[in-house]
Amino acid sequence: MSLKQIAKGIGASLAPELTTELLSWRSQRLIMKNERTSGRLAASQHYCAQRGSVVAKGPFKGMRYPRFTVECRNLIPKLIGSYEDELSPWMEEIVARHYPTIVNVGSADGYYTVGLALRCAAARVIAFDTDPWARTATRALASENSAGNVEVHKMCTPRWMREQLLTGSIALVDCEGFEAQLLDLQAAPNLVESDFLVELHEHVDPGIGERISGMFEATHDIRSMPSRAKPPADYPELEDIEPSMRARVIYERAPDQNWLYLTRKA
């Protein structure tokens, strides 16, 4: 084990929330640096200058991104509707179910938090993210779109899930390997009373999908969705982007990404 890993372990034991926030901040800065040096940020800003920063397609069509986010991150996948578009049918289902509370653990720039807040105006929408930039971006996106039903907090914990998650809620969970701790039925038995859409991180926690499915199979219907390749030719909105950059600006993740949608059995 390296000194860096030892330091992380000590920090996680002594000050878990602070350590997680620092690691999240560092990760966000690395992503931003990569987008700058690869040209993706410049391409995104060019797109926004030509077409604006309003989402053009997908379940959150019409949502507008603020200058704060435009200046920092590549937004093209979200603006053209390619971002995690595998989940679009599930987003429509979530809207149709009229959940009174929507929790988004790992809100990032607020795409799902604010998008669902706009589509589900009667819902209380609670966002969590350990990264300070992400929390600021989520608040900025909510403000830009006058989404007054959004709350933004730091770290979601198993205790919060046990004590604060209301019956009949849905939680969208994307927390980079913390899924097992957060969706632990022994720590929070009340989880059986809510629904979940979980992004799995098998590269961080191998077998997490099977374990979550095993915990909830008696109480929930469980559907799986794999990610798919997204050829640039499928998105005519990319015509303003240099051909050599088109695949790069819409790249999201490795092709073996999966999600689970867990809904309570009737």
Side-chain angles (χ1 to χ4, degrees):
M1 182 179 292
S2 68
L3 288 175
K4 185 176 181 180
Q5 290 173 319
I6 293 172
K8 284 183 180 180
I10 294 173
S13 299
L14 297 178
E17 290 194 25
L18 177 60
T19 300
T20 301
E21 183 153 330
L22 289 172
L23 292 172
S24 299
W25 176 88
R26 180 176 180 273
S27 177
Q28 184 68 244
R29 293 307 177 275
L30 289 173
I31 292 170
M32 289 181 179
K33 179 180 179 181
N34 180 271
E35 290 187 344
R36 285 196 307 271
T37 57
S38 67
R40 285 182 289 169
L41 179 60
S44 176
Q45 291 174 340
H46 173 76
Y47 177 94
C48 291
Q50 297 295 315
R51 294 178 176 250
S53 59
V54 176
V55 176
K57 291 168 62 177
F60 308 133
K61 180 180 178 180
M63 183 169 67
R64 181 184 300 276
Y65 269 91
R67 179 185 297 273
F68 174 82
T69 316
V70 171
E71 291 178 346
C72 298
R73 293 299 308 271
N74 168 32
L75 294 175
I76 289 177
K78 292 168 182 174
L79 297 178
I80 69 173
S82 68
Y83 179 74
E84 295 185 352
D85 61 0
E86 301 91 336
L87 304 184
S88 291
W90 287 355
M91 289 299 121
E92 296 301 331
E93 185 173 334
I94 288 170
V95 171
R97 285 177 177 268
H98 302 290
Y99 292 100
T101 305
I102 300 171
V103 179
N104 187 193
V105 183
S107 65
D109 65 28
Y111 178 75
Y112 287 117
T113 296
V114 179
L116 287 170
L118 293 173
R119 295 287 307 273
C120 307
R124 178 190 180 197
V125 184
I126 306 169
F128 290 92
D129 205 292
T130 55
D131 172 44
W133 181 91
R135 296 195 296 271
T136 300
T138 299
R139 292 188 183 102
L141 186 60
S143 177
E144 183 76 15
N145 292 276
S146 301
N149 53 334
V150 171
E151 306 170 21
V152 183
H153 302 281
K154 292 183 179 181
M155 186 174 183
C156 187
T157 63
R159 179 177 178 180
W160 189 95
M161 297 290 275
R162 181 177 66 250
E163 297 179 357
Q164 301 294 326
L165 187 67
L166 299 179
T167 297
S169 301
I170 184 168
L172 285 69
V173 179
D174 177 6
C175 49
E176 303 298 328
F178 193 57
E179 298 91 353
Q181 294 93 319
L182 209 58
L183 301 179
D184 184 352
L185 284 178
Q186 291 187 332
N190 61 304
L191 296 180
V192 299
E193 300 170 349
S194 292
D195 295 348
F196 303 92
L197 198 166
V198 186
E199 180 171 310
L200 302 173
H201 297 88
E202 295 279 356
H203 63 287
V204 177
D205 189 358
I208 181 62
E210 290 186 3
R211 295 202 303 279
I212 290 176
S213 295
M215 283 192 293
F216 287 91
E217 64 182 355
T219 56
H220 287 67
D221 294 316
I222 303 172
R223 286 170 277 173
S224 177
M225 180 71 72
S227 59
R228 63 173 182 83
K230 296 174 184 176
D234 290 352
Y235 303 96
E237 297 85 358
L238 293 172
E239 65 182 8
D240 293 332
I241 304 300
E242 288 290 331
S244 62
M245 286 294 298
R246 291 173 186 171
R248 198 178 304 175
V249 297
I250 63 171
Y251 175 80
E252 294 174 24
R253 54 176 55 80
D256 58 351
Q257 176 68 59
N258 287 285
W259 296 269
L260 295 179
Y261 187 18
L262 301 86
T263 52
R264 289 158 292 162
K265 292 183 176 180

